[in-house]
Amino acid sequence: ERHASLYPNPTAEKIKVSGVADADVAKVSLLSLDGKVVYTTSKLVQGEIDVKNIANGTYIVAIRLKNGTTRNSKIVIVK
């Protein structure tokens, strides 16, 4: 099973996701470090997550796949 990687990190506007096919994604969530969900979507668009409207900070990106597994990665947003 391949690992999802997120780049660039830190990022300002978009997070690119590699290692996961858009069609395999069930849900993408962006969580603050205290566990609050700040953004959620049911799909990736061209392998990207748009974060231009998200405040600066460190977040956990949780990518839940249709097979039930979840991949978590830390990302920093800096504008």
Side-chain angles (χ1 to χ4, degrees), residues 15-42:
I15 302 168
K16 293 189 182 288
V17 180
S18 66
V20 174
D22 293 3
D24 293 338
V25 173
K27 184 177 180 184
V28 177
S29 301
L30 193 66
L31 300 101
S32 58
L33 293 181
D34 62 2
K36 291 190 177 89
V37 176
V38 295
Y39 175 81
T40 187
T41 183
S42 60

Side-chain angles (χ1 to χ4, degrees), residues 4-72:
S5 60
L6 307 178
Y7 61 95
N9 192 3
T11 189
E13 292 191 1
K14 290 186 188 285
I15 302 168
K16 293 189 182 288
V17 180
S18 66
V20 174
D22 293 3
D24 293 338
V25 173
K27 184 177 180 184
V28 177
S29 301
L30 193 66
L31 300 101
S32 58
L33 293 181
D34 62 2
K36 291 190 177 89
V37 176
V38 295
Y39 175 81
T40 187
T41 183
S42 60
K43 64 183 187 226
L44 294 176
V45 178
Q46 297 175 332
E48 294 181 338
I49 304 165
D50 184 346
V51 295
K52 67 178 172 277
N53 296 321
I54 306 295
N56 287 354
T58 302
Y59 298 90
I60 302 296
V61 178
I63 301 172
R64 193 172 80 223
L65 303 179
K66 291 177 180 169
N67 69 8
T69 62
T70 301
R71 317 252 176 102
N72 293 327

